[in-house]
Amino acid sequence: MFPGSEIYGGFAGTWDWGPLGTELRRNVVNEWTEAMQSHDNMAFLDSSIFTAAKVWEASGHISGFSDPMVVCSHCHTKFRADHLLDAMGVVADEKMTEKQINAIFDEHRTKLHCPVCGKKDFGKVVAKSLLVTSTLGRFEDEDEEVYLRGETAQGIFINYKNVLGSGMYSIPFGIAQVGKAFRNEISPRQFLFRKREFEQMEMQYFVSPKEAPEAYEEWRKERMAYYNRLGVKKEKLRWKQHENLVF
């Protein structure tokens, strides 16, 4: 792996895959794709990266897909407010409203030091959208935003009717996709685990409501067996029930 734009000083949150990394990534994608192709009722999709704003309005991303950002008033470095609080042992859910997280931040403001300059001089916490905007086909005096997709799942959902109407599939069936997604991360970190451009491999499976519980259990078993076949130890895997959705 090489830092993105390295010869010109680098560009935070971006990485270039080198020769060995490219082959490793290809092997991972091929393994996952073959696992999906083993199911007769699986369709594959390659949806557009550029997406109309209405798609993200309907999904709730524009209004709720954000991280709490705070800026040091002294050195002007941007931080995730929940990360600063977490570092001092204070739990702050990133899904909290601006009002809720500001109340917690204000309670501990006198103890919070900037990791860069050491000052205790932070502004107000604001919700920063994670969607990456584009000026594709726009002029400065136009208001409509164009977005790079924040996840590949939305391309699957908006093409559900198209795939079903192609006459090749009927419920129950799945739609799988591998492709780039983009997020305007406030503070990229943890090497490849928190960056602004990344590859996603997603599959959405569509069933009738009455068949959902049985299909869910079947896919749980299938996916666990998949990771076991790859050599991942069972004790390293666990199921997590999400109490809060992304937004």
Side-chain angles (χ1 to χ4, degrees):
M1 297 299 302
F2 308 126
S5 308
E6 185 176 23
I7 65 171
Y8 290 105
F11 189 54
T14 63
W15 295 87
D16 296 334
W17 295 82
L20 295 179
T22 299
E23 293 302 319
L24 175 61
R25 186 180 68 170
R26 182 181 292 116
N27 288 340
V28 172
V29 171
N30 288 344
E31 187 73 33
W32 184 86
T33 301
E34 289 176 6
M36 293 296 107
Q37 288 175 330
S38 66
H39 299 272
D40 295 333
N41 55 345
M42 188 65 62
F44 280 81
L45 187 71
D46 186 6
S47 64
S48 175
I49 286 175
F50 290 105
T51 319
K54 289 183 178 180
V55 172
W56 304 105
E57 289 175 5
S59 67
H61 281 76
I62 289 179
S63 61
F65 191 50
S66 60
D67 278 339
M69 181 184 75
V70 67
V71 181
C72 173
S73 300
H74 186 263
C75 68
H76 308 294
T77 305
K78 300 178 180 65
F79 300 97
R80 284 271 300 268
D82 54 325
H83 288 172
L84 292 176
L85 291 167
D86 183 64
M88 61 180 297
V90 179
V91 177
D93 192 335
E94 62 183 10
K95 309 304 184 298
M96 289 179 174
T97 64
E98 279 190 20
K99 183 177 180 180
Q100 290 173 324
I101 200 164
N102 266 296
I104 297 175
F105 200 88
D106 288 342
E107 182 181 347
H108 301 278
R109 184 178 292 275
T110 57
K111 303 175 185 177
L112 289 164
H113 295 263
C114 174
V116 175
C117 69
K119 300 292 184 179
K120 294 189 290 185
D121 189 12
F122 289 104
K124 182 181 178 181
V125 180
V126 296
K128 177 67 174 177
S129 175
L130 292 176
L131 290 175
V132 178
T133 59
S134 170
T135 57
L136 180 71
R138 294 178 60 239
F139 296 96
E140 291 183 1
D141 59 344
E142 294 179 339
D143 295 327
E144 185 178 0
E145 295 282 4
V146 177
Y147 296 95
L148 276 66
R149 63 186 180 198
E151 61 183 25
T152 54
Q154 290 307 315
I156 293 175
F157 293 137
I158 63 176
N159 281 288
Y160 163 78
K161 188 176 180 180
N162 292 332
V163 174
L164 191 61
S166 69
M168 299 174 62
Y169 301 93
S170 59
I171 292 176
F173 75 104
I175 303 178
Q177 178 170 213
V178 178
K180 295 279 190 180
F182 305 84
R183 293 185 184 174
N184 192 19
E185 292 285 351
I186 296 169
S187 53
R189 60 178 186 169
Q190 295 177 307
F191 190 38
L192 298 180
F193 295 98
R194 195 89 186 186
K195 59 196 192 92
R196 290 173 171 145
E197 173 191 347
F198 49 92
E199 198 97 1
Q200 284 190 325
M201 301 181 292
E202 290 194 89
M203 186 276 290
Q204 310 296 328
Y205 197 71
F206 302 94
V207 299
S208 65
K210 65 179 182 180
E211 296 174 332
E214 181 180 353
Y216 175 67
E217 289 303 321
E218 289 179 357
W219 275 106
R220 275 171 56 102
K221 294 177 183 177
E222 197 279 341
R223 298 314 294 159
M224 184 62 75
Y226 167 79
Y227 291 113
N228 292 157
R229 289 196 304 272
L230 293 182
V232 181
K233 296 180 180 179
K234 290 183 179 181
E235 57 269 24
K236 297 293 184 180
L237 298 171
R238 65 184 176 90
W239 292 104
K240 178 177 174 58
Q241 181 66 43
H242 291 279
E243 297 179 0
N244 296 318
L245 297 178
V246 176
F247 34 80

